[in-house]
Amino acid sequence: MSADGATQQHSQTDRQAVTYRVAVTMTLTAVIWIAASTWISRLYGDYREVQLRGQATALAVTSAGALSTALNQRLAQVRGLAAFVAVKAAENQPGEIDREFPVFAASYYQQVSGIRNISVAPGFVVGLVYPADSGNLKVIGNNLLEDRRPGFAEAVKRAIQTRDLVVHEPVEMIQGGAGLLARQAVFVGDHPWGGVGMAFSIAPMLESSRTGMPAGYSWGLRTAAGNHVGGDGRTFDRQPVSVHIDLPDGYWEFALAPERGWKNAVADEAEMTALYFGLLIIGVGLLSLTWIVLQRRETLERLVESRTRALTSANRELERFSFIVAHDLQEPLRSILSFSQLVERGLSEQLTAEQRGWLTGLGTAARLMRSLLHDVQIYLGENNAPLPRRRIDAGEALAIAQRKLNARIKETGAVIESAPLPTVWADHHRLAEVFAALIGNAIEYRSPDRPPVIRLSARDEGPFQIINVADNGIGIEDSYFDRIFEVFQRLHSRAAHPGTGMGLAIAKKMVEHLGGTIRVRSVVGEGSTFSLVLPTAPPKSVNIRSE
């Protein structure tokens, strides 16, 4: 081969190598570019969706607020009508109601749009209606408590029970068409006299409160039961943002969403073209930033781990210190109590009645402090108390608790009824303490109108046994369900109901240490039910199922 031929062959080989390297580089660049484009598009789309949802939420809050204002304006009229009728009924002036009602109702009728009728129902039978046209006169004589329209009579009964205003679900009106009814019971003393009500057309109310909707968005309004009130009912199927509009006895739900969905809304308004041109430069920056972030994250994790260990150690030391303090304070308290008793006995003839009262108060305070410190020790010591090694019969723990409370049970005449109780993973001491706390709590907060009855029952729930402790006491309001399990939390004064305020907190901690939990439900005036959720095996092998 000549020199020229060899040179041409080497040049061709070099060009092939360069082409190969360029092709590989171009391919890798294209792959990275496409992957980066897809990832950034998705990330940017998610970011824009969050922004759109935030903007839609602000608009939904504004619209719901305007609607709430319009609704409350109308409900205020119902309250005013109830007050007017109540005054006249209390004065036993039925003739005055008949004479002044048209004038009173006419003034309300002119204040807001969409009122279908205003009515008064002595004995819950409609006797007066305004305006008295041919359509509205059809409601005269309608017995509200016997109305067969779905939910109608139940709403009236609810208004009587709550003595507050009740808003019906949208119903078909007797005089034709759909409407919204607001009803309030009128009482003379403690006796229901009858009721008043107003019927509204929904459309004018929605029109008066509607704010401008962005193009491509739909809105919907429904009741808590899911019944359609206004707007586009399909909005609720589009993953909308929603706002609750509170009513006296419930709520409505206002929803807002793009008609074609959030993803399409983002795609319609997102401008991605300019973003693609900077992807290669951004890619390098992102890699560098990712490296820095990873380094900082690793450093932060090490710092968090170190601080967590230090905090755990400090927390254990604090618990140990608190336990020792609670234990060591017992001795000076015993001395205070002993010396106060010695002073009272040694100087009994020289003490006045007031001074004896001081010594009695000192002893009472010392005994309460001793009880508090004892309960604090139990509460703090539970974390380190050994767990049981076997299952036990819950009925045996109940028997121990009953013996412990025997004097209190006899004193109050309490009746304890128990179905056969299951075998659970626990120990007799803990479970007996829990039973004693719940039964003692039921006896302490018994109803003054009836003897206390405590019933225990059980049911199986997978890897757990549910033991219910139900009483017929004074009950607990829903808002206090969490508070009653907190340390030193009391719903009543110590003078009315003595105790340390730690019984339920200790019981909850013991049950949770066993791998279970305590639930409560209650009806004020009827009683409470505490449910013990206890595992049938060591808690490492099961997971607690929450409700």
Side-chain angles (χ1 to χ4, degrees), residues 8 112 131 145 201 220 292 307 481:
Q8 289 177 357
V112 296
L145 296 174
S201 294
I292 294 172
R307 294 289 176 84
F481 281 2

Side-chain angles (χ1 to χ4, degrees), residues 33 37 41 44 269-279:
W33 186 82
S37 299
S41 298
Y44 181 73
E269 63 91 37
E271 299 178 0
M272 303 291 292
T273 304
L275 188 62
Y276 293 137
F277 290 103
L279 283 176

Side-chain angles (χ1 to χ4, degrees), residues 10-198:
H10 284 300
S11 297
Q12 184 177 2
T13 302
D14 290 341
R15 283 195 299 271
Q16 288 175 347
V18 171
T19 301
Y20 176 77
R21 288 196 298 269
V22 170
V24 170
T25 302
M26 291 290 290
T27 301
L28 290 175
T29 302
V31 170
I32 294 172
W33 186 82
I34 292 172
S37 299
T38 302
W39 180 77
I40 291 176
S41 298
R42 185 181 298 114
L43 184 65
Y44 181 73
D46 293 342
Y47 165 74
R48 285 298 302 153
E49 182 176 337
V50 170
Q51 282 192 322
L52 288 181
R53 282 185 175 273
Q55 295 167 1
T57 298
L59 181 58
V61 169
T62 301
S63 300
L67 179 57
S68 179
T69 300
L71 180 62
N72 286 327
Q73 182 182 11
R74 289 158 173 78
L75 297 183
Q77 290 186 323
V78 180
R79 296 186 191 277
L81 176 61
F84 161 74
V85 173
V87 170
K88 298 301 180 183
E91 296 173 352
N92 195 20
Q93 297 179 349
E96 287 293 313
I97 297 176
D98 295 346
R99 184 175 62 83
E100 295 184 17
F101 170 73
V103 178
F104 190 90
S107 66
Y108 272 2
Y109 191 79
Q110 297 170 1
Q111 290 180 16
V112 296
S113 60
I115 297 180
R116 295 285 299 276
N117 69 45
I118 305 172
S119 63
V120 175
F124 299 99
V125 177
V126 178
L128 299 173
V129 67
Y130 184 93
D133 54 35
S134 57
N136 285 329
L137 289 177
K138 294 178 181 179
V139 305
I140 296 294
N142 180 39
N143 190 321
L144 304 180
L145 296 174
E146 297 178 359
D147 196 302
R148 295 184 178 277
R149 283 174 287 178
F152 192 98
E154 289 77 6
V156 176
K157 294 174 183 176
R158 196 164 64 251
I160 298 172
Q161 293 171 352
T162 63
R163 294 195 176 196
D164 200 356
L165 192 146
V166 170
V167 178
H168 294 250
E169 297 279 327
V171 297
E172 189 67 24
M173 306 289 289
I174 292 177
Q175 57 270 49
L180 179 70
L181 278 73
R183 192 81 56 190
Q184 184 163 355
V186 175
F187 281 77
V188 175
D190 292 329
H191 301 287
W193 176 88
V196 300
M198 289 190 184

Side-chain angles (χ1 to χ4, degrees), residues 268-291:
D268 291 344
E269 63 91 37
E271 299 178 0
M272 303 291 292
T273 304
L275 188 62
Y276 293 137
F277 290 103
L279 283 176
L280 289 176
I281 298 175
I282 293 174
V284 174
L286 284 175
L287 288 174
S288 301
L289 180 61
T290 301
W291 174 257

